[in-house]
């Protein structure tokens, strides 16, 4: 499903409302809400909105468990850290236990070893089914999502829930949820907007299936819902 908005402010409002509804429903039904956050610039307005008094009061943050979809293998106080952005915009403004937050970085271990540890952390919260209540994703203008970049071996991963690898084009390690775990989620929301995303979004939604080139095409929930939140600038009809 694709929802098209006039601007990114409208997208942020809709995404925040989806987040609140998913949290309330999960906490009411199962006593906890398990979410994976995304990084980059796209979710900043969403997180800031969720941190406002009127929004944060709608969620029992003591029952929220926060993971991430992917991360640059960088210290948590580094400006490019997805976790730092989420703390700055949201997590440091709500009453969530530190033990409920699982950043995708740890001092003193390798990215590959921490990927194994991170999968264990997910299982400790979700159980063996690995089902997130909500996963927020972005999409790059090359069609990547999380750290599932075009042409990388991680796109073929079917067993691991979390993978870490060295991304040559960025000269750094990345750690990411794989499509295998993302697609187990109850709800997946992809937030992408702007004219620079139009070509990739068009190919992901309407082009031939070629996930090696457009990895977001790998996102196909097993029994959950997939929603793209986008704007007019990123959307056009394929001829």
């Amino acid at each position: 499903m694709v929802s098209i908005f006039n601007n990114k402010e409208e997208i942020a409002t809709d995404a925040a409302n989806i987040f609140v509804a998913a949290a309330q429903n999960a906490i009411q039904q199962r006593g906890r809400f398990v979410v994976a956050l995304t990084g980059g610039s796209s979710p900043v307005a969403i997180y800031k909105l969720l941190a406002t008094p009127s929004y944060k009061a709608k969620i029992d943050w003591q029952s929220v468990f926060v993971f991430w979809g992917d991360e640059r293998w960088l210290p948590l106080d580094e400006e490019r850290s997805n976790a730092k952005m989420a703390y700055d915009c949201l997590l440091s403004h709500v009453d969530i236990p530190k033990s409920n937050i699982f950043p995708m970085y740890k001092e003193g271990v390798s990215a590959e070893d921490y990927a194994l540890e991170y999968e264990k952390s997910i299982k400790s919260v979700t159980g063996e089914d690995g089902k997130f209540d909500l996963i927020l994703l972005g999409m790059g203008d090359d069609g990547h999502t999380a750290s599932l970049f075009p042409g990388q071996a991680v796109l073929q991963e079917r067993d691991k829930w979390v993978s870490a690898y060295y991304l040559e084009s960025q000269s750094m390690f990345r750690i990411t949820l794989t499509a295998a775990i993302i697609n187990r989620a109850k709800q997946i929301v992809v937030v992408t907007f702007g004219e620079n995303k139009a070509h990739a979004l068009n190919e992901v939604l309407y082009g031939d299936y070629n996930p090696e080139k457009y990895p977001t095409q790998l996102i196909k929930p097993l029994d959950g819902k997939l929603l793209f939140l986008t704007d007019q600038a990123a959307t056009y009809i394929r001829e």
Side-chain angles (χ1 to χ4, degrees), residues 92-120:
S92 62
H93 305 283
V94 296
D95 187 23
I96 181 171
K98 184 178 180 181
S99 59
N100 288 14
I101 303 174
F102 299 86
M104 261 185 165
Y105 178 82
K106 185 178 181 179
E107 291 281 356
V109 299
S110 69
E112 293 95 332
D113 286 344
Y114 192 58
L116 298 174
E117 187 176 328
Y118 205 78
E119 182 169 323
K120 292 178 182 177

Side-chain angles (χ1 to χ4, degrees), residues 60-80:
D60 174 14
W61 291 96
Q62 295 287 315
S63 302
V64 176
F65 292 79
V66 174
F67 293 85
W68 271 263
D70 77 315
E71 183 63 276
R72 302 170 181 87
W73 191 248
L74 297 167
L76 298 177
D77 58 357
E78 220 274 358
E79 286 298 325
R80 291 175 293 168

Side-chain angles (χ1 to χ4, degrees), residues 25-225:
N25 182 62
I27 292 169
Q28 181 179 8
Q29 290 189 2
R30 293 176 297 282
R32 63 186 176 186
F33 173 54
V34 186
V35 62
L37 302 181
T38 186
S41 59
S42 298
V44 170
I46 301 168
Y47 299 161
K48 287 184 175 180
L49 191 55
L50 287 169
T52 60
S54 60
Y55 271 90
K56 68 181 181 181
K58 298 177 181 179
I59 296 173
D60 174 14
W61 291 96
Q62 295 287 315
S63 302
V64 176
F65 292 79
V66 174
F67 293 85
W68 271 263
D70 77 315
E71 183 63 276
R72 302 170 181 87
W73 191 248
L74 297 167
L76 298 177
D77 58 357
E78 220 274 358
E79 286 298 325
R80 291 175 293 168
S81 165
N82 290 339
K84 182 181 187 304
M85 181 272 285
Y87 272 102
D88 290 348
C89 296
L90 173 60
L91 298 178
S92 62
H93 305 283
V94 296
D95 187 23
I96 181 171
K98 184 178 180 181
S99 59
N100 288 14
I101 303 174
F102 299 86
M104 261 185 165
Y105 178 82
K106 185 178 181 179
E107 291 281 356
V109 299
S110 69
E112 293 95 332
D113 286 344
Y114 192 58
L116 298 174
E117 187 176 328
Y118 205 78
E119 182 169 323
K120 292 178 182 177
S121 295
I122 294 172
K123 288 181 178 179
S124 74
V125 175
T126 68
E128 292 293 326
D129 68 353
K131 192 181 288 290
F132 283 84
D133 295 299
L134 175 66
I135 294 180
L136 297 176
L137 296 173
M139 189 195 76
D141 55 15
D142 61 353
H144 87 269
T145 191
S147 284
L148 306 177
F149 285 89
Q152 301 300 315
V154 68
L155 303 180
Q156 310 301 324
E157 183 58 60
R158 299 293 182 266
D159 299 318
K160 294 179 181 177
W161 290 2
V162 186
S163 182
Y165 67 99
Y166 190 78
L167 184 60
E168 292 285 351
S169 63
Q170 296 184 4
S171 301
M172 69 166 61
F173 277 92
R174 307 283 302 218
I175 181 169
T176 187
L177 299 185
T178 65
I181 181 70
I182 292 172
N183 286 331
R184 296 182 182 217
K186 295 182 175 69
Q187 189 170 16
I188 304 167
V189 175
V190 182
V191 178
T192 186
F193 50 81
E195 188 176 348
N196 62 314
K197 306 292 180 70
H199 176 75
L201 182 60
N202 181 70
E203 292 298 325
V204 166
L205 294 176
Y206 311 116
D208 294 335
Y209 187 68
N210 186 5
E212 281 291 316
K213 188 173 183 180
Y214 300 105
T216 302
Q217 289 183 329
L218 288 172
I219 308 307
K220 294 183 174 182
L222 298 176
D223 55 12
K225 297 178 180 178

